[in-house]
Amino acid sequence: MARLNPEDYKLEFFKENGFLRKKCKIGKEDFWTLNQEFDTCQDAPDTEYWFNKISSINGLSVREAREKFINFFEKNGHTPIKPRPVVARWREDLYLTIASIVDFQPHVTSGLVPPPANPLVISQPSIRLEDIDNVGLTIGRHLTTFEMAAHHAFNYPDKKIYWKEETVRYAYEFFTKELKIPGDLLVFKESWWEGGGNAGPCFEVTVGGLELATLVFMMYKVENGKYTELPLKIVDTGYGVERMAWFTQKTPTAFKAIFGDALDKYRKILGVKEPPEKILWEAFKAAGRLEPEDPKSVKEFYERISRNTGYNYDEIKSYMELDARLYSLLDHSRTISLMLGDGIVPSNTGEGYLARLVIRRALKQLRFIRDDVSLSDLVEIQIKLWGKDFNQLIDNQNYIIDVIIDEEKKFKETLNRGIKLTLKTLKSGNINLEDLVKFYDSYGIPPEIIADEAKKKGVNIEIPINFYSIIASRHKAPTSVRKIEEKSKLPEDIISWAKGFKSTNLLFHQNPYAKSLTAKLLGKKGKYFILDSTLFYPTGGGQINDLGKVDICGKEYRIVDVEKVDDVVVHVADREIEEQCEDVYEEIDWIRRYRLMRHHTGTHLLMGALRRVLGDHVWQAGAEKTPEKGRLDITHYKLPSKEELREIERLANKVIDERRPINYLYMNRTEAENKYGFRLYQGGVPMTPTIRIIDIENWDTQACFGTHLNNTGEIGGLKITKVEKIQDGIVRFEYVAGTRVAEEMEKQENRIEEIEKVLESKQGEEVIRAKALKDENNELNNRIKAYRKLWEEQIGYTINSAPIINNIRVAFIEFPENDISYAREFLKKITYKNEDLLLGLLIKNNDKTFVEMAAGGKVRIDLGEISKKISNKLSGSGGGKGSYASLVINKSVKSEDLLNIVKEIL
């Protein structure tokens, strides 16, 4: 970690007001204070909590603390900005909004676009899961969701707003005048901040052991350990709204200050009694110095509370562990509400994985407290509590509750599956951390469940205290930055060559209906060439490139590929271009292009219908448009019903009939986001200050590079041809538009004709004939079951009279069917009931004999070895292990022959 020269922390503000610069006797950090007696920086863990004894304004709720902060900075010339969602839709490299500065990365912080206001003030709900295991035990120091109130100033080389002096002065005035904290108890601790490739000095504002704010001065870019000064210098502050509420309410835990009556409701529903007040206050004092990931520190925490309250250690441990689970449920259920309210769909990937992580950790805590309570009931309390602050919770309440009920069901199924898998794995050896991570990632099995099952088998498994934090850290961001455009298929030398040309004039945007034109040849290299203007659409945005032909010096070339390098379009011909002419005639394959336009516009049309029928949580998770069909992958937690699919199609085709206009807009990014929100970014986030927007009037609006129609009527019609769940939380739709609908119907007609032939039915009578065959098949199956039952009864007599060799009953029986799966099922059932039985079933098939063998639990013989010895004697082949084996003999064999061989072996 780099540090600036200590002189860079010396401010005129400190000098004017008589602040002293001191060094913390414990942590050795430098800090500024008006208090001559302070010898520590007043921050945990160097100082235990004592802010409950510090005077301040009384009892601010979270909402009141937020409003007081915003009002103060608005009065001081800052424009209030609406907070963004907790899922960072505008970022390609991050799933969740972890701080207020994330709202302005990378587009504002890189200088690409101006901020929405300068200076500005915001209170941004943020989610950080890296410390999820610590939530609860530290009584409020750790939260997965918190509001970061912040004021930001963006200082350009030609326009300074304000910097260190003003930022520190604002903090001092806010805390002393608005929160009424004595100025001599405020401490400004010198520190250094780094994150996201940027860095800068900062002050941490602490009082009574609690850090209330961090004041960062982002001024460096960090690359390969080197610090380069940025032209754009940013004031990046963060004030803890929940901490301000806790500080002013003077409650022993932050959870009481944040959640108020909701905490009491949780206690009543879950049957968790409040610990005695003196235990809570002793925990309050000790919590600042608690290192929750260190077992020794946790033990000392319990011992101190026990020593100072008179309760024995086990009582304290029981109280604190149960309350920690309760607090984490309060915290997690709020986080879940915000995640789902902003449209996250739980899944096994991306932000959906993180939502499921929080849900399952909450369900795990609930299971240990009271497993007959539904998590959805607890989340509903949070929706009512925070709905006024975050409207999306009320708007999406039905979705939130439905998803949690669905996730609870999946969790119970996971536990049942997990117990079986755990028992199987325990047989093969020990389970380490990576095994636990794999079980959780692949199967969703919490490590505590594995540990419980292992304990029953006498195996002890150590679970890291920070297990869920480890998981969250591994999944907090994409492993590589998500790309808007597909990876270029061009060779590296061609990409480098193309970067030397000026931007191509994109005529497919100016007039997507143009079929041909004459352009200027700017350069060629082998079969690659670049024009000043082009009608050929390059692969990108889920739409494949145009095909067609060009005429160069009187010679015709087929265009086999079109790619984009930055703003330059590279055309790929079917062979090397030898001629050099100024003018080139272009002609695209219009029928192919028009089908692509129909399918691409159809994708936007379908997205609008999906959101209206399935809900606002629907987001694009992938798309592809070809001349043959369109494909759209969306986030959704279950397969749509037949009724929902009909309604989706009905709405889409209704909009087609309405011939709604399709508008092509070019807008400033900030203006576009303010007007349309982040739903613009369905297919990715373009790194441009101006965004091209495709707007289907009053239906769907997206940032999009593709080619589109002028009105919805031109789509002609839309038919969904296939719907499937491709992974948990992702549903795939395939569809056709325009004339492809008729072609698809022709395929269906041909299938029906084929079915007619197979069923030997007349046209229109296929269903009647199929039902008759089904009834006939059901009757045959019932007869087979009856015959099998009779056969099994007869076999029972044979087994009872089977010879006993070395305490093993041995029987070989000719099986009357060719159904090997039924044979195996029967073997499993009969040997389970008869533990001393070795049974073989012979299945004759032409000149071959298939033998399936199984043994009961008391038969201590490896049937794999028996199978090998039989194979050697009868020139067969086969294998097995333990209590099951199978073999194939290339001739007809009698059951008596096999019985005699096994007798000899035994």
Side-chain angles (χ1 to χ4, degrees):
M1 181 180 77
R3 286 296 298 250
L4 290 185
N5 187 313
E7 295 298 310
D8 290 330
Y9 291 92
K10 291 182 178 179
L11 304 182
E12 282 300 315
F13 172 80
F14 293 146
K15 184 178 179 182
E16 290 170 9
N17 290 278
F19 276 79
L20 303 171
R21 189 179 201 171
K22 293 190 168 190
K23 188 175 288 291
C24 180
K25 70 176 183 181
I26 298 174
K28 306 305 180 185
E29 301 95 342
D30 293 317
F31 64 92
W32 295 86
T33 178
L34 293 170
N35 196 312
Q36 294 189 6
E37 295 180 4
F38 282 168
D39 56 6
T40 71
C41 60
Q42 297 298 296
D43 192 14
D46 297 349
T47 307
E48 67 179 28
Y49 289 158
W50 63 281
F51 63 83
N52 61 314
K53 297 177 182 177
I54 296 174
S55 63
S56 68
I57 192 172
N58 290 327
L60 294 178
S61 67
V62 170
R63 183 178 300 130
E64 289 166 343
R66 179 198 311 128
E67 290 172 352
K68 184 167 282 292
F69 180 87
I70 291 172
N71 291 339
F72 171 80
F73 281 95
E74 187 175 14
K75 284 187 292 186
N76 282 278
H78 294 67
T79 302
I81 297 297
K82 186 179 177 183
R84 292 196 173 193
V86 296
V87 52
R89 304 284 186 191
W90 60 95
R91 294 285 295 267
E92 299 285 355
D93 59 342
L94 197 65
Y95 293 131
L96 300 175
T97 308
I98 58 173
S100 61
I101 194 63
V102 169
D103 295 6
F104 312 104
Q105 293 172 321
H107 305 98
V108 175
T109 56
S110 67
L112 186 70
V113 299
N118 198 11
L120 60 84
V121 61
I122 189 171
S123 185
Q124 175 62 52
S126 305
I127 295 179
R128 296 183 189 175
L129 303 180
E130 288 86 342
D131 294 321
I132 190 171
D133 294 287
N134 299 339
V135 174
L137 191 59
T138 58
I139 68 169
R141 175 151 54 98
H142 295 93
L143 301 169
T144 57
T145 293
F146 59 95
E147 281 191 61
M148 182 179 283
H151 61 98
H152 295 284
F154 301 86
N155 297 284
Y156 294 87
D158 59 344
K159 186 180 181 182
K160 181 184 175 184
I161 305 301
Y162 61 78
W163 196 227
K164 298 177 189 176
E165 295 284 352
E166 297 87 343
T167 302
V168 172
R169 191 180 301 274
Y170 280 137
Y172 184 81
E173 289 183 5
F174 175 73
F175 287 127
T176 57
K177 293 181 180 179
E178 298 295 321
L179 297 195
K180 309 295 185 186
I181 299 173
D184 64 336
L185 298 183
L186 280 174
V187 166
F188 292 87
K189 183 174 75 169
E190 295 178 11
S191 190
W192 181 263
W193 174 89
E194 284 192 24
N198 295 123
C202 71
F203 289 105
E204 294 172 8
V205 186
T206 61
V207 56
L210 189 66
E211 182 185 333
L212 289 177
T214 302
L215 317 175
V216 175
F217 306 100
M218 190 188 296
M219 56 187 295
Y220 293 99
K221 184 178 182 180
V222 186
E223 286 183 318
N224 301 319
K226 293 183 179 180
Y227 296 81
T228 307
E229 193 166 338
L230 293 167
L232 173 59
K233 294 178 173 59
I234 301 168
V235 172
D236 173 21
T237 67
Y239 290 64
V241 175
E242 287 83 0
R243 289 191 175 193
M244 289 190 281
W246 187 15
F247 187 95
T248 60
Q249 289 186 45
K250 307 291 190 290
T251 54
T253 76
F255 296 98
K256 181 61 178 177
I258 297 166
F259 296 97
D261 292 342
L263 171 59
D264 302 324
K265 289 177 183 176
Y266 271 47
R267 286 195 185 280
K268 186 175 180 181
I269 292 169
L270 298 169
V272 178
K273 292 181 180 179
E274 184 175 9
E277 192 170 346
K278 65 178 180 178
I279 289 179
L280 289 176
W281 278 114
E282 192 59 40
F284 167 85
K285 286 190 286 185
R289 287 183 167 160
L290 170 64
E291 297 293 342
E293 294 180 7
D294 180 1
K296 183 181 176 183
S297 178
V298 174
K299 185 172 184 289
E300 289 172 353
F301 175 64
Y302 294 151
E303 286 173 343
R304 170 177 168 170
I305 300 171
S306 172
R307 187 168 58 251
N308 293 342
T309 61
Y311 289 86
N312 68 50
Y313 179 90
D314 290 337
E315 284 180 300
I316 296 299
K317 188 171 185 287
S318 176
Y319 270 129
M320 297 310 299
E321 284 185 348
L322 187 58
D323 250 33
R325 292 191 189 281
L326 174 71
Y327 297 149
S328 67
L329 263 175
L330 267 169
D331 168 89
H332 293 5
S333 52
R334 177 169 72 149
T335 299
I336 292 162
S337 302
L338 286 168
M339 285 178 133
L340 301 184
D342 277 337
I344 296 181
V345 175
S347 68
N348 293 327
T349 57
E351 60 267 21
Y353 178 96
L354 297 175
R356 178 164 286 165
L357 173 76
V358 182
I359 291 171
R360 290 197 166 171
R361 191 171 191 277
L363 288 169
K364 183 208 76 172
Q365 300 288 41
L366 192 55
R367 186 171 183 264
F368 281 110
I369 299 176
R370 185 171 175 179
D371 61 3
D372 61 341
V373 173
S374 172
L375 179 61
S376 61
D377 292 337
L378 301 180
V379 168
E380 200 164 354
I381 293 172
Q382 299 286 352
I383 293 171
K384 289 175 182 175
L385 177 61
W386 302 105
K388 186 177 177 182
D389 302 88
F390 309 109
N391 295 332
Q392 66 268 35
L393 302 186
I394 302 298
D395 296 341
N396 298 313
Q397 180 169 356
N398 291 339
Y399 164 71
I400 295 169
I401 299 302
D402 284 351
V403 165
I404 290 171
I405 291 170
D406 189 57
E407 286 295 303
E408 284 188 276
K409 181 182 175 185
K410 288 176 181 174
F411 183 67
K412 288 174 183 174
E413 292 169 356
T414 292
L415 293 185
N416 294 332
R417 186 172 69 249
I419 289 169
K420 294 176 184 175
L421 185 64
T422 299
L423 294 174
K424 184 178 178 182
T425 307
L426 283 169
K427 290 179 182 178
S428 62
N430 293 328
I431 295 176
N432 57 31
L433 172 61
E434 289 307 314
D435 292 326
L436 294 175
V437 171
K438 180 183 175 182
F439 286 142
Y440 186 85
D441 272 352
S442 302
Y443 310 107
I445 307 167
E448 294 84 357
I449 306 304
I450 296 173
D452 282 351
E453 292 304 314
K455 193 173 183 180
K456 294 173 186 175
K457 298 292 180 182
V459 178
N460 184 48
I461 294 177
E462 290 292 329
I463 303 171
I465 293 176
N466 62 336
F467 176 82
Y468 291 92
S469 300
I470 292 170
I471 295 291
S473 295
R474 293 186 182 188
H475 292 268
K476 68 180 179 182
T479 51
S480 60
V481 176
R482 292 167 282 177
K483 297 295 183 184
I484 303 162
E485 302 291 344
E486 287 80 355
K487 184 174 174 61
S488 175
K489 293 177 281 186
L490 298 174
E492 286 298 324
D493 63 319
I494 298 299
I495 293 173
S496 299
W497 170 70
K499 288 181 177 180
F501 291 86
K502 66 177 184 178
S503 300
T504 308
N505 188 18
L506 308 179
L507 294 177
F508 54 78
H509 276 172
Q510 296 172 29
N511 181 9
Y513 291 86
K515 302 177 182 65
S516 63
L517 65 79
T518 299
K520 301 294 182 184
L521 180 63
L522 299 181
K524 66 182 180 67
K525 191 171 185 179
K527 61 182 180 179
Y528 305 95
F529 65 96
I530 293 169
L531 304 172
D532 69 332
S533 303
T534 188
L535 290 176
F536 285 91
Y537 181 85
T539 296
Q543 180 177 325
I544 60 174
N545 59 276
D546 284 329
L547 299 179
K549 62 184 180 180
V550 295
D551 187 299
I552 302 176
C553 299
K555 288 190 177 181
E556 184 175 291
Y557 297 84
R558 305 300 303 174
I559 299 301
V560 297
D561 193 10
V562 188
E563 299 285 333
K564 192 160 79 77
V565 178
D566 297 331
D567 294 326
V568 176
V569 176
V570 180
H571 307 73
V572 186
D574 58 350
R575 63 189 189 279
E576 187 171 334
I577 300 163
E578 298 175 357
E579 299 79 7
Q580 179 72 46
C581 293
E582 184 178 2
D583 293 335
V584 174
Y585 172 78
E586 307 176 38
E587 186 178 322
I588 62 169
D589 181 338
W590 171 249
I591 298 299
R592 185 176 182 278
R593 156 72 77 78
Y594 198 55
R595 287 188 168 191
L596 282 164
M597 288 166 68
R598 279 176 152 171
H599 283 138
H600 201 151
T601 308
T603 302
H604 291 223
L605 177 78
L606 181 60
M607 178 58 82
L610 289 166
R611 284 204 314 273
R612 284 162 176 80
V613 176
L614 302 180
D616 279 340
H617 61 276
V618 168
W619 280 77
Q620 179 177 309
E624 183 183 46
K625 303 93 184 177
T626 69
E628 291 72 37
K629 66 181 179 182
R631 170 179 64 76
L632 178 61
D633 301 337
I634 64 160
T635 55
H636 190 50
Y637 56 104
K638 59 184 177 182
L639 271 174
S641 66
K642 186 180 287 186
E643 293 73 22
E644 287 173 328
L645 291 175
R646 284 175 179 164
E647 181 62 9
I648 290 163
E649 275 191 349
R650 187 192 72 78
L651 283 177
N653 284 295
K654 177 176 177 288
V655 173
I656 290 173
D657 288 342
E658 290 170 352
R659 293 181 62 81
R660 295 195 188 194
I662 298 169
N663 305 306
Y664 300 81
L665 310 171
Y666 289 85
M667 296 179 70
N668 167 279
R669 175 183 294 276
T670 302
E671 180 189 355
E673 290 176 351
N674 287 340
K675 184 172 182 179
Y676 298 112
F678 301 106
R679 202 166 286 283
L680 282 170
Y681 304 133
Q682 294 293 328
V685 186
M687 276 297 292
T688 53
T690 301
I691 304 174
R692 182 176 187 259
I693 294 170
I694 305 302
D695 173 53
I696 300 177
E697 198 167 88
N698 298 321
W699 189 255
D700 181 82
T701 307
Q702 296 183 35
C704 186
F705 188 77
T707 55
H708 291 272
L709 305 165
N710 281 340
N711 68 74
T712 56
E714 287 189 66
I715 297 173
L718 187 139
K719 177 65 184 172
I720 297 170
T721 57
K722 187 178 181 181
V723 181
E724 61 179 333
K725 194 174 182 180
I726 61 170
Q727 68 182 60
D728 210 12
I730 305 291
V731 177
R732 171 167 292 175
F733 288 79
E734 291 185 359
Y735 45 93
V736 292
T739 52
R740 282 288 295 120
V741 175
E743 291 173 7
E744 196 64 30
M745 288 305 299
E746 186 179 347
K747 282 186 188 177
Q748 299 303 321
E749 288 168 359
N750 292 337
R751 286 181 63 193
I752 291 171
E753 286 178 10
E754 192 176 339
I755 291 169
E756 288 171 5
K757 290 177 184 177
V758 172
L759 295 177
E760 297 179 348
S761 67
K762 295 179 181 178
Q763 187 175 0
E765 295 180 358
E766 302 88 0
V767 175
I768 296 171
R769 178 64 178 145
K771 283 182 177 178
L773 285 173
K774 184 181 178 183
D775 291 342
E776 187 179 325
N777 185 59
N778 288 340
E779 185 180 343
L780 288 171
N781 281 333
N782 289 333
R783 288 185 186 178
I784 289 170
K785 286 178 183 177
Y787 287 133
R788 283 177 174 174
K789 187 177 181 182
L790 287 171
W791 181 80
E792 288 178 13
E793 288 174 358
Q794 293 299 318
I795 291 303
Y797 299 125
T798 304
I799 288 169
N800 288 335
S801 60
I804 298 174
I805 308 162
N806 291 338
N807 297 318
I808 301 172
R809 271 188 297 161
V810 183
F812 281 86
I813 300 167
E814 291 194 12
F815 196 63
E817 298 185 37
N818 284 328
D819 189 340
I820 290 180
S821 62
Y822 167 54
R824 290 173 176 170
E825 183 185 326
F826 172 71
L827 279 170
K828 184 178 179 181
K829 181 169 64 175
I830 201 75
T831 53
Y832 180 78
K833 291 180 180 177
N834 298 272
E835 293 188 299
D836 64 341
L837 176 65
L838 189 163
L839 176 63
L841 298 180
L842 285 70
I843 303 168
K844 301 290 183 67
N845 191 334
N846 297 325
D847 294 332
K848 292 184 178 181
T849 304
F850 295 85
V851 182
E852 300 290 323
M853 293 187 296
K858 292 182 179 178
V859 178
R860 304 299 181 189
I861 293 174
D862 186 351
L863 292 193
E865 292 299 319
I866 299 285
S867 174
K868 287 178 185 176
K869 290 177 180 178
I870 295 173
S871 297
N872 290 337
K873 280 188 174 287
L874 299 177
S875 301
S877 62
K881 188 177 181 181
S883 61
Y884 203 93
S886 60
L887 62 149
V888 181
I889 302 166
N890 294 317
K891 60 182 177 181
S892 180
V893 180
K894 293 180 180 179
S895 58
E896 294 88 348
D897 297 334
L898 286 173
L899 180 61
N900 290 331
I901 291 171
V902 172
K903 279 182 181 180
E904 185 182 328
I905 293 169
L906 295 178

mmCIF file of all heavy atoms in Angstrom, residues 366-378:
data_model
loop_
_atom_site.group_PDB
_atom_site.id
_atom_site.type_symbol
_atom_site.label_atom_id
_atom_site.label_comp_id
_atom_site.label_asym_id
_atom_site.label_seq_id
_atom_site.Cartn_x
_atom_site.Cartn_y
_atom_site.Cartn_z
ATOM 1 N N LEU A 366 -32.410 -19.889 9.858
ATOM 2 C CA LEU A 366 -33.796 -20.149 10.261
ATOM 3 C C LEU A 366 -33.961 -21.598 10.717
ATOM 4 O O LEU A 366 -34.655 -21.888 11.696
ATOM 5 C CB LEU A 366 -34.726 -19.842 9.084
ATOM 6 C CG LEU A 366 -36.224 -19.777 9.358
ATOM 7 C CD1 LEU A 366 -36.524 -18.777 10.462
ATOM 8 C CD2 LEU A 366 -36.968 -19.385 8.088
ATOM 9 N N ARG A 367 -33.296 -22.497 10.016
ATOM 10 C CA ARG A 367 -33.365 -23.924 10.345
ATOM 11 C C ARG A 367 -32.818 -24.189 11.744
ATOM 12 O O ARG A 367 -33.315 -25.055 12.469
ATOM 13 C CB ARG A 367 -32.581 -24.713 9.301
ATOM 14 C CG ARG A 367 -32.680 -26.229 9.430
ATOM 15 C CD ARG A 367 -32.036 -26.888 8.209
ATOM 16 N NE ARG A 367 -32.176 -28.325 8.257
ATOM 17 C CZ ARG A 367 -31.244 -29.152 8.715
ATOM 18 N NH1 ARG A 367 -30.112 -28.655 9.178
ATOM 19 N NH2 ARG A 367 -31.436 -30.458 8.715
ATOM 20 N N PHE A 368 -31.778 -23.430 12.137
ATOM 21 C CA PHE A 368 -31.174 -23.627 13.459
ATOM 22 C C PHE A 368 -31.982 -22.952 14.572
ATOM 23 O O PHE A 368 -31.842 -23.298 15.734
ATOM 24 C CB PHE A 368 -29.744 -23.095 13.475
ATOM 25 C CG PHE A 368 -28.758 -24.037 12.837
ATOM 26 C CD1 PHE A 368 -28.165 -23.720 11.636
ATOM 27 C CD2 PHE A 368 -28.432 -25.244 13.432
ATOM 28 C CE1 PHE A 368 -27.252 -24.578 11.034
ATOM 29 C CE2 PHE A 368 -27.520 -26.115 12.845
ATOM 30 C CZ PHE A 368 -26.924 -25.779 11.643
ATOM 31 N N ILE A 369 -32.829 -21.965 14.208
ATOM 32 C CA ILE A 369 -33.636 -21.275 15.225
ATOM 33 C C ILE A 369 -35.017 -21.915 15.344
ATOM 34 O O ILE A 369 -35.425 -22.370 16.411
ATOM 35 C CB ILE A 369 -33.790 -19.773 14.898
ATOM 36 C CG1 ILE A 369 -32.431 -19.085 14.853
ATOM 37 C CG2 ILE A 369 -34.670 -19.090 15.937
ATOM 38 C CD1 ILE A 369 -32.488 -17.630 14.432
ATOM 39 N N ARG A 370 -35.716 -21.925 14.214
ATOM 40 C CA ARG A 370 -37.066 -22.489 14.226
ATOM 41 C C ARG A 370 -37.462 -22.833 12.800
ATOM 42 O O ARG A 370 -37.764 -21.942 12.000
ATOM 43 C CB ARG A 370 -38.054 -21.490 14.834
ATOM 44 C CG ARG A 370 -39.448 -22.048 15.001
ATOM 45 C CD ARG A 370 -40.324 -21.107 15.802
ATOM 46 N NE ARG A 370 -41.686 -21.602 15.854
ATOM 47 C CZ ARG A 370 -42.687 -21.017 16.498
ATOM 48 N NH1 ARG A 370 -42.447 -19.892 17.160
ATOM 49 N NH2 ARG A 370 -43.895 -21.528 16.491
ATOM 50 N N ASP A 371 -37.467 -24.122 12.460
ATOM 51 C CA ASP A 371 -37.631 -24.514 11.062
ATOM 52 C C ASP A 371 -39.085 -24.587 10.590
ATOM 53 O O ASP A 371 -39.340 -24.944 9.445
ATOM 54 C CB ASP A 371 -36.927 -25.846 10.784
ATOM 55 C CG ASP A 371 -37.487 -26.991 11.622
ATOM 56 O OD1 ASP A 371 -38.457 -26.754 12.370
ATOM 57 O OD2 ASP A 371 -36.947 -28.103 11.535
ATOM 58 N N ASP A 372 -40.041 -24.238 11.473
ATOM 59 C CA ASP A 372 -41.438 -24.238 11.024
ATOM 60 C C ASP A 372 -41.908 -22.838 10.635
ATOM 61 O O ASP A 372 -43.097 -22.616 10.381
ATOM 62 C CB ASP A 372 -42.360 -24.817 12.103
ATOM 63 C CG ASP A 372 -42.325 -24.000 13.399
ATOM 64 O OD1 ASP A 372 -41.352 -23.241 13.590
ATOM 65 O OD2 ASP A 372 -43.266 -24.126 14.206
ATOM 66 N N VAL A 373 -40.983 -21.885 10.586
ATOM 67 C CA VAL A 373 -41.304 -20.512 10.157
ATOM 68 C C VAL A 373 -40.830 -20.329 8.721
ATOM 69 O O VAL A 373 -39.727 -20.753 8.371
ATOM 70 C CB VAL A 373 -40.635 -19.475 11.078
ATOM 71 C CG1 VAL A 373 -40.830 -18.063 10.543
ATOM 72 C CG2 VAL A 373 -41.200 -19.591 12.499
ATOM 73 N N SER A 374 -41.662 -19.683 7.899
ATOM 74 C CA SER A 374 -41.289 -19.450 6.504
ATOM 75 C C SER A 374 -40.484 -18.158 6.386
ATOM 76 O O SER A 374 -40.843 -17.129 6.966
ATOM 77 C CB SER A 374 -42.536 -19.368 5.626
ATOM 78 O OG SER A 374 -42.187 -18.960 4.316
ATOM 79 N N LEU A 375 -39.405 -18.217 5.616
ATOM 80 C CA LEU A 375 -38.594 -17.019 5.369
ATOM 81 C C LEU A 375 -39.421 -15.940 4.688
ATOM 82 O O LEU A 375 -39.196 -14.743 4.909
ATOM 83 C CB LEU A 375 -37.375 -17.389 4.508
ATOM 84 C CG LEU A 375 -36.429 -16.237 4.147
ATOM 85 C CD1 LEU A 375 -35.831 -15.596 5.387
ATOM 86 C CD2 LEU A 375 -35.334 -16.727 3.208
ATOM 87 N N SER A 376 -40.398 -16.350 3.884
ATOM 88 C CA SER A 376 -41.227 -15.368 3.174
ATOM 89 C C SER A 376 -41.999 -14.480 4.150
ATOM 90 O O SER A 376 -42.222 -13.298 3.883
ATOM 91 C CB SER A 376 -42.191 -16.074 2.218
ATOM 92 O OG SER A 376 -43.066 -16.938 2.933
ATOM 93 N N ASP A 377 -42.391 -15.039 5.308
ATOM 94 C CA ASP A 377 -43.103 -14.232 6.316
ATOM 95 C C ASP A 377 -42.180 -13.167 6.906
ATOM 96 O O ASP A 377 -42.605 -12.037 7.175
ATOM 97 C CB ASP A 377 -43.630 -15.132 7.443
ATOM 98 C CG ASP A 377 -44.733 -16.064 6.958
ATOM 99 O OD1 ASP A 377 -45.380 -15.740 5.938
ATOM 100 O OD2 ASP A 377 -44.936 -17.122 7.582
ATOM 101 N N LEU A 378 -40.914 -13.525 7.103
ATOM 102 C CA LEU A 378 -39.950 -12.567 7.650
ATOM 103 C C LEU A 378 -39.621 -11.481 6.627
ATOM 104 O O LEU A 378 -39.483 -10.306 6.979
ATOM 105 C CB LEU A 378 -38.669 -13.295 8.066
ATOM 106 C CG LEU A 378 -38.832 -14.404 9.119
ATOM 107 C CD1 LEU A 378 -37.489 -15.040 9.431
ATOM 108 C CD2 LEU A 378 -39.479 -13.870 10.396
#
